[in-house]
Amino acid sequence: MPVDIDIAIVGAGPYGLSTAAHLADRGLSFRIFGRPMHDWVRMPKGMLLKSEGLASDLSDPRRDFTLRHYCKKRGIPYADIGLPVELNTFIDYGLEFQRRFAPNLEDRQLISLAPEGAEFRLQFSDGENVTARRVVLATGVSYFKRIPIQLAGLPDTLVSHSIDNDDPARFAGRDVAIIGAGASAIDLAGLSAECGARVRLITRAPSIDIHDKMKVPRPLGERISRPMSGIGPTWRGLFYCQLPFVFRHLPDSVRVDKVKSTPRPAAGWFMKDRMRGVNLELNQHIKSAEVLDNRVILRLVRSDGTENTIDVDHVVSATGFEVDVKRLPYLARDVANSLKVVEGAPRLSANFESSIPGLYFTGPAAANTFGPVMRFAVGSKFAAGRIVRHLARTAARN
């Protein structure tokens, strides 16, 4: 059967769009499928990015269209460090990036990806079938939501994941419990309280961590002891951002541990004042949960063993994501089962190619191979450049 296209990109967030920009610059033939900035438009309205401005670029190979360039053109205040990037600004920047570098984006949902000889067959929800020699999966995190087992069986109307709450105003006048201690939990808690919700933030930790605002300009001593990187001001962060190809050579157990623990759960400095209306339930975890009279009854256990019971209208699990390729609903079973993995995430070559020739993964799915930077927009520069150089070389040989 004839092959329709050489390269298919599935996913149109920062990693998919950056890959498209690099492919277009080299004149390679490809099609890109997905809803632009899909995971980002699902985040809470009013949110500010934890990443600094300098770490919030998508990657075009000529560096012609950074977030700085976009903001300058639109008259939007911008700073590399010290001025939070509004979520809406970042989304609009991503959409403009798409219009410039991937104007032929096809807003279609993939429902099946299966091998067909040496190629792949992609089937979409509108009925179209496409065959491709190489496929780059850049599908973000929405398929990998982590929800505590105690909440997993409760109705979706009463329990949700943080990524499914784009409008905190839906909780106005309601009792809400938010589970977690990271930026997504703290952000949603603060925004929901501002909208008039009665919010309880429940975490196992003895405290929540909110970063201090960095001095601008940064003192020389601080710049030496805590050098700036795309994922925070640390030497370790600088290593993760600058040397992901070296990170790949660390032992599996070390890589997985660093991905799980970096960065530590914390919110941006701008959330400090926005948390005043939030009740903190620290040093507690969920023992059980049940529904009674359309409310959720949570039985909590404190660190000293004592128990506490609360009832709320809704519970939000802001407990992050855990990559597992078997949870990708469109992957044919034989594909998912044959992929070599590192704790559920695909094991990748130096060029982001999986153990199935021609199938590539980028973005958060690549983190267990290339490190924590793959969970942030700033990692798209390394990933897109590496993948596209390889695709160009192999295209030249075919």
Side-chain angles (χ1 to χ4, degrees):
M1 179 174 292
V3 177
D4 296 319
I5 51 175
D6 184 19
I7 302 165
I9 303 171
V10 179
Y15 282 82
L17 294 175
S18 296
T19 302
H22 284 249
L23 286 170
D25 185 66
R26 286 179 176 262
L28 296 175
S29 174
F30 70 94
R31 287 169 70 180
I32 178 170
F33 307 92
R35 182 155 295 175
M37 301 297 287
H38 176 60
D39 284 353
W40 294 89
V41 300
R42 300 173 65 189
M43 294 183 182
K45 293 180 177 66
M47 194 185 88
L48 302 174
L49 269 59
K50 183 178 173 181
S51 299
E52 300 284 353
L54 59 79
S56 302
D57 294 333
L58 278 65
S59 176
D60 70 278
R62 302 179 190 277
R63 297 287 294 164
D64 290 334
F65 197 60
T66 64
L67 181 61
R68 172 188 284 276
H69 295 144
Y70 173 80
C71 290
K72 182 178 181 180
K73 180 180 177 181
R74 297 295 181 94
I76 299 170
Y78 170 88
D80 284 343
I81 298 174
L83 182 64
V85 178
E86 294 184 4
L87 174 64
N88 284 344
T89 297
F90 184 67
I91 292 172
D92 290 344
Y93 161 62
L95 296 176
E96 180 62 26
F97 189 100
Q98 178 261 308
R99 288 188 286 269
R100 285 185 175 222
F101 298 103
N104 296 323
L105 172 69
E106 300 173 55
D107 189 348
R108 294 177 174 176
Q109 182 181 0
L110 180 66
I111 60 172
S112 176
L113 171 64
E116 189 165 282
E119 286 80 41
F120 299 92
R121 175 171 287 278
L122 294 81
Q123 182 179 354
F124 296 90
S125 57
D126 62 0
E128 183 182 9
N129 289 299
V130 172
T131 54
R133 288 189 179 89
R134 280 90 61 85
V135 177
V136 179
L137 295 180
T139 49
V141 296
S142 57
Y143 292 115
F144 305 129
K145 294 181 286 191
R146 183 194 293 125
I147 295 180
I149 191 170
Q150 297 90 335
L151 303 175
L154 301 186
D156 292 343
T157 54
L158 300 177
V159 175
S160 61
H161 193 274
S162 54
I163 198 173
D164 297 318
N165 288 281
D166 65 325
D167 187 7
R170 66 180 286 223
F171 297 130
R174 305 174 69 194
D175 297 309
V176 182
I178 298 177
I179 314 298
S184 60
I186 294 170
D187 288 353
L188 187 57
L191 292 169
S192 298
E194 288 181 349
C195 290
R198 296 178 292 275
V199 182
R200 295 171 183 258
L201 181 63
I202 301 170
T203 172
R204 292 174 179 267
S207 63
I208 60 171
D209 191 359
I210 298 179
H211 289 161
D212 293 327
K213 184 177 181 179
M214 286 189 289
K215 297 177 181 177
V216 181
R218 300 181 71 207
L220 177 60
E222 187 175 309
R223 281 182 279 147
I224 294 172
S225 63
R226 301 175 65 218
M228 195 63 200
S229 80
I231 60 175
T234 65
W235 279 103
R236 185 173 295 180
L238 195 63
F239 166 71
Y240 295 145
C241 289
Q242 297 296 322
L243 299 171
F245 51 90
V246 175
F247 184 92
R248 175 177 168 270
H249 292 288
L250 297 174
D252 287 357
S253 59
V254 174
R255 296 201 313 273
V256 171
D257 177 69
K258 298 306 179 187
V259 169
K260 288 181 177 179
S261 61
T262 307
R264 72 181 190 275
W269 58 268
F270 42 81
M271 290 304 299
K272 191 165 293 186
D273 291 337
R274 305 182 81 169
M275 289 294 290
R276 290 175 179 169
V278 176
N279 294 311
L280 301 180
E281 302 279 355
L282 305 174
N283 278 317
Q284 301 187 58
H285 66 272
I286 302 173
K287 178 180 181 181
S288 65
E290 62 178 339
V291 176
L292 182 64
D293 295 331
N294 208 36
R295 286 172 67 86
V296 182
I297 312 299
L298 294 176
R299 292 180 176 84
L300 308 176
V301 179
R302 300 184 179 92
S303 58
D304 62 6
T306 60
E307 297 189 7
N308 176 31
T309 299
I310 64 173
D311 64 289
V312 294
D313 295 304
H314 195 91
V315 180
V316 177
S317 178
T319 44
F321 305 88
E322 188 170 22
V323 174
D324 182 350
V325 292
K326 292 185 178 180
R327 294 174 64 184
L328 291 172
Y330 52 75
L331 275 190
R333 180 168 297 183
D334 56 341
V335 173
N337 289 339
S338 62
L339 279 168
K340 293 181 180 179
V341 298
V342 181
E343 292 219 1
R347 184 182 295 278
L348 303 176
S349 74
N351 301 304
F352 289 78
E353 190 172 19
S354 72
S355 57
I356 297 177
L359 183 61
Y360 300 74
F361 289 82
T362 188
N368 280 3
T369 297
F370 290 100
V373 69
M374 292 295 110
R375 291 160 42 194
F376 297 85
V378 69
S380 63
K381 178 181 178 181
F382 169 77
R386 195 87 170 198
I387 292 169
V388 172
R389 283 193 296 272
H390 179 69
L391 292 174
R393 288 197 302 270
T394 54
R397 293 199 296 263
N398 291 336

